[in-house]
Amino acid sequence: MIKRDTQKDISSQSWDSIVIGSGAGGLTTALCLARAGQKVLLLEQHDVPGGWCHSFYLEGHRFTPGVHYIGLVGKGESTSNLYKGLGIANDLVFFRMNPKAYEHVRIGNHRFDFPDNPEELVNRLIDRFPKEKKGIKKYLKLIRLASEELYSLPYIKGFWKKLTLPYRTRHFGKYGLFSLKRVIGWHIKDPLLKNILNIQCGDHGVQPKKAAFILHAALMYHYFRGGYYPMGGGGALVKSMTNKFKEYGGELKTSTSVKKILIEGEKTKKATGVELQDGRQIFARHIVSNADVGITYNQLIGRQHLSQKLRKKLEKTRYSCTSLMLFLTVDMDVRKAGLDSGNVWVFPDTDMDEYYDGILKSDLKKVDFFEALFVSCTTLKDPTSFDGKHHCLEVITFIDYKTFEPFTDEGERRSEKYLRFKEELTQKMILGVEKVVPNISENIVHQDLGTPITNEYYINTTRGNVYGTEKSLKHIGPFAYKSKSEIENLYLCGASILSHGVAGASHSGVNTAAIILGCHADALKEPQEGQELLILEAEDHPNNYPEAIQNKIRLRQKRGQNHLKSLA
């Protein structure tokens, strides 16, 4: 709990901006505003900052629910430049995941590995599907061109450039309003090849018939040059941003839940501050919400303060699916079992749309085991987290929230029925993981399952969603919610605004800060002199790492040994 005198302190001060929620979007907004000289208060309802990016520990082993890999981290690429622009690059270390297979695809008995080289990807696909050679080349070229045009949109300025906009964005414009299923169907016929190319739909939580082609193209492009994992997990990103935020004079308060956003005015609505759960009111010139749009508009503001147009939009808004997340600590050599630093996508050899339609409608009590999984071994992605004996796995599958509706009003004290159901689902998840890592169940040291109820409690998302609004054509681009709301002085950021994922939400936060400050987002992301990201190879031998990293590995293993001795 926050001490009373500290609480009085924040409520008695005047603030330039209050940011609600410390996810990637809220953190970057707060950091940019504080750096510009604003007096910024960042409020987080959880006892640690970070939202989906936060890390937590189970029996001394670290897990991060929402950071599994990040793209475009190489020198000169957009995510790398973002961290340099925020001034946190020197505080971060990234491990490049297996360059030959940063994604392992297992569809039924079929196997395919995504390399971190787009040319090599084309060659591998053609070798595997020679009859689809022409379609593969055209489709992946379209992915690249449409994505490059999408990324170029903010830089098309001036009369003559805008005059040629239709030509400059012809691929994006031609395919921008079609679903992934339709566009890939025009180029690819083989069902297995479609599933391989669509496997990363899991990164936005919607099946091909709902996913916007341009969104999936941007996502594939984001990972064309591979995946990277931060040393220290998502918590390292959070720590670097919170430290920099505080360095600029920003104030962060955790375990501080906002009850509502204060609104004044009849015809013209204006946000003036926030009211906390204990009734205290804090005022500011700008209010920024990093909560999802459902929480922001329906709960924190209240529909009575919204226009009819916005109320109708909210009624039609769909949120992304929710998830089960299994956190495992195992005592086994997972490399011998076939794992490395690459992610593993497991999917049944069936039509992807049909599978998702089925599992999202299924009675989970009747499901024998989960056939579609995302498996990530964080101790192989980040060698500094390996204690020399135990490995940590994060396993995810998507489900519909309806299954958990009976448990929504239980509060912190969970019922026996909920706990039994959670244990049943845990065992079904483990049966699915057995298909990837044989005999893993015999080597589990610790297990825990995060459910949609967990998501609601810790992250405070509408119906436990994992990606904000559903990433279908109706909720992206010009149809997405805007950074600047219809209410004066109220702004939004995060997964439902610009884009989702760690990088997408972070860019969203910068954009929102730029609108408040009246500048272009690029000005806030300009790489700072002397900032550089250290990138190491996750598959390299530890002896090849810098001495400081080797020392971290030795220290982690020593602590692991001491922990085992204490247990003995």
Side-chain angles (χ1 to χ4, degrees):
M1 296 292 292
I2 298 176
K3 294 180 181 179
R4 189 68 187 173
D5 58 345
T6 303
Q7 291 179 334
K8 283 183 178 179
D9 185 50
I10 63 171
S11 61
S12 63
Q13 296 181 54
S14 60
W15 303 90
D16 292 311
S17 294
I18 295 174
V19 180
I20 305 167
S22 63
L27 275 169
T28 50
T29 301
L31 195 165
C32 290
L33 294 176
R35 184 175 63 183
Q38 285 202 6
K39 189 175 181 182
V40 183
L41 176 63
L42 177 58
L43 302 174
E44 170 57 48
Q45 56 99 25
H46 191 15
D47 57 12
V48 293
W52 283 111
C53 292
H54 86 279
S55 293
F56 63 91
Y57 288 82
L58 297 172
E59 302 294 329
H61 298 279
R62 188 189 66 240
F63 297 91
T64 302
V67 180
H68 301 104
Y69 60 149
I70 302 174
L72 297 175
V73 176
K75 190 175 182 64
E77 294 180 327
S78 63
T79 309
S80 175
N81 287 341
L82 170 66
Y83 294 144
K84 292 177 185 177
L86 293 174
I88 61 173
N90 290 346
D91 302 321
L92 299 172
V93 177
F94 277 88
F95 288 98
R96 183 170 73 147
M97 295 154 57
N98 186 353
K100 296 180 181 178
Y102 75 93
E103 304 269 47
H104 299 281
V105 182
R106 300 186 179 193
I107 298 176
N109 295 321
H110 304 285
R111 302 288 184 269
F112 185 81
D113 292 333
F114 276 71
D116 68 356
N117 182 304
E119 291 76 24
E120 176 61 21
L121 174 61
V122 171
N123 293 335
R124 283 190 191 182
L125 289 169
I126 291 173
D127 287 344
R128 183 70 177 274
F129 302 94
K131 293 182 180 179
E132 296 273 7
K133 179 178 179 179
K134 184 178 179 181
I136 290 169
K137 285 188 172 183
K138 287 185 66 176
Y139 181 71
L140 289 181
K141 182 179 180 181
L142 174 60
I143 291 283
R144 178 180 60 80
L145 291 173
S147 299
E148 288 175 349
E149 291 171 2
L150 175 65
Y151 282 109
S152 73
L153 283 175
Y155 307 102
I156 299 177
K157 302 171 184 176
F159 176 78
W160 293 110
K161 284 187 177 181
K162 288 184 177 180
L163 192 64
T164 59
L165 184 64
Y167 176 77
R168 292 173 181 271
T169 60
R170 57 194 181 280
H171 301 93
F172 168 74
K174 182 177 180 180
Y175 297 99
L177 295 178
F178 289 107
S179 70
L180 172 61
K181 182 176 182 177
R182 290 192 68 180
V183 177
I184 198 171
W186 292 332
H187 296 84
I188 305 296
K189 303 306 175 187
D190 188 290
L192 175 61
L193 177 55
K194 286 182 181 180
N195 274 355
I196 289 172
L197 290 170
N198 291 342
I199 198 71
Q200 290 171 323
C201 273
D203 283 333
H204 38 247
V206 284
Q207 59 264 55
K209 70 178 182 181
K210 286 186 176 181
F213 164 73
I214 195 63
L215 177 73
H216 193 73
L219 183 123
M220 285 192 72
Y221 183 80
H222 184 73
Y223 292 116
F224 260 176
R225 295 293 176 182
Y228 298 79
Y229 190 78
M231 183 178 77
L237 298 173
V238 175
K239 182 180 179 180
S240 65
M241 284 193 272
T242 53
N243 285 345
K244 187 61 65 173
F245 170 63
K246 292 176 182 178
E247 186 181 308
Y248 289 122
E251 189 88 19
L252 167 65
K253 295 298 177 185
T254 56
S255 301
T256 307
S257 185
V258 174
K259 181 180 180 180
K260 66 179 180 179
I261 295 172
L262 302 174
I263 304 295
E264 290 182 356
E266 292 298 326
K267 291 184 178 180
T268 301
K269 303 290 184 178
K270 179 180 180 180
T272 59
V274 300
E275 181 177 316
L276 304 183
Q277 286 295 340
D278 63 4
R280 286 173 299 113
Q281 296 184 341
I282 310 173
F283 298 93
R285 293 191 297 119
H286 310 104
I287 309 299
V288 182
S289 178
N290 188 207
D292 73 37
V293 292
I295 299 294
T296 300
Y297 285 123
N298 293 323
Q299 295 183 25
L300 296 182
I301 295 174
R303 297 172 67 84
Q304 71 275 16
H305 293 300
L306 307 178
S307 67
Q308 185 177 5
K309 180 180 178 181
L310 181 53
R311 289 199 298 269
K312 286 184 177 180
K313 182 178 177 66
L314 284 164
E315 288 168 3
K316 295 178 180 178
T317 296
R318 294 182 60 87
Y319 297 90
S320 82
C321 60
T322 186
S323 64
L324 296 175
M325 295 189 184
L326 178 64
F327 306 103
L328 294 175
T329 304
V330 299
D331 183 2
M332 66 183 295
D333 189 340
V334 292
R335 282 197 181 275
K336 282 188 177 179
L339 295 184
D340 58 26
S341 60
N343 303 318
V344 182
W345 293 93
V346 185
F347 205 82
D349 190 8
T350 186
D351 180 81
M352 194 171 286
D353 284 304
E354 290 180 6
Y355 173 80
Y356 274 116
D357 285 344
I359 196 65
L360 293 177
K361 295 177 182 177
S362 292
D363 179 352
L364 297 185
K365 290 182 177 293
K366 297 179 181 179
V367 173
D368 295 326
F369 68 94
F370 289 100
E371 296 181 86
L373 299 170
F374 173 88
V375 182
S376 165
C377 182
T378 57
T379 42
L380 295 181
K381 290 179 176 181
D382 175 7
T384 66
S385 66
F386 179 47
D387 68 358
K389 183 174 175 63
H390 301 104
H391 283 286
C392 298
L393 278 72
E394 297 169 349
V395 186
I396 303 170
T397 195
F398 292 127
I399 60 171
D400 188 81
Y401 183 81
K402 288 181 181 178
T403 308
F404 283 85
E405 284 180 344
F407 309 112
T408 54
D409 299 321
E410 288 191 348
E412 291 186 38
R413 190 175 180 83
R414 306 302 184 202
S415 66
E416 285 298 319
K417 185 177 180 181
Y418 169 80
L419 295 175
R420 284 196 303 271
F421 186 41
K422 182 176 174 178
E423 180 57 30
E424 290 174 17
L425 295 175
T426 299
Q427 295 309 312
K428 292 176 181 182
M429 289 279 283
I430 291 173
L431 286 175
V433 183
E434 282 275 356
K435 308 293 183 181
V436 182
V437 187
N439 302 317
I440 193 172
S441 58
E442 299 171 10
N443 297 281
I444 295 175
V445 176
H446 185 82
Q447 64 192 42
D448 204 350
L449 184 72
T451 73
I453 304 299
T454 314
N455 298 348
E456 283 186 313
Y457 180 75
Y458 287 106
I459 313 296
N460 192 24
T461 62
T462 302
R463 296 176 68 82
N465 75 76
V466 294
Y467 294 123
T469 51
E470 181 183 76
K471 296 303 177 277
S472 61
L473 284 164
K474 296 179 180 179
H475 297 97
I476 67 168
F479 310 110
Y481 285 87
K482 308 304 179 187
S483 299
K484 192 177 189 306
S485 79
E486 66 177 22
I487 296 173
E488 189 178 338
N489 297 340
L490 177 67
Y491 303 83
L492 291 85
C493 64
S496 300
I497 310 303
L498 178 68
S499 185
H500 58 299
V502 183
S506 298
H507 282 290
S508 166
V510 176
N511 285 9
T512 297
I515 292 171
I516 293 172
L517 296 171
C519 65
H520 195 280
D522 285 353
L524 302 179
K525 292 185 281 189
E526 183 68 28
Q528 297 181 22
E529 188 175 346
Q531 288 285 325
E532 200 63 52
L533 276 181
L534 175 59
I535 298 176
L536 304 174
E537 301 291 333
E539 296 296 320
D540 209 347
H541 193 282
N543 289 344
N544 295 324
Y545 295 150
E547 186 64 28
I549 305 299
Q550 293 186 45
N551 288 337
K552 286 183 71 73
I553 294 174
R554 285 191 286 265
L555 181 60
R556 173 63 181 136
Q557 293 182 0
K558 184 178 180 180
R559 287 176 176 170
Q561 292 168 2
N562 291 338
H563 180 67
L564 289 174
K565 288 178 182 178
S566 67
L567 293 176

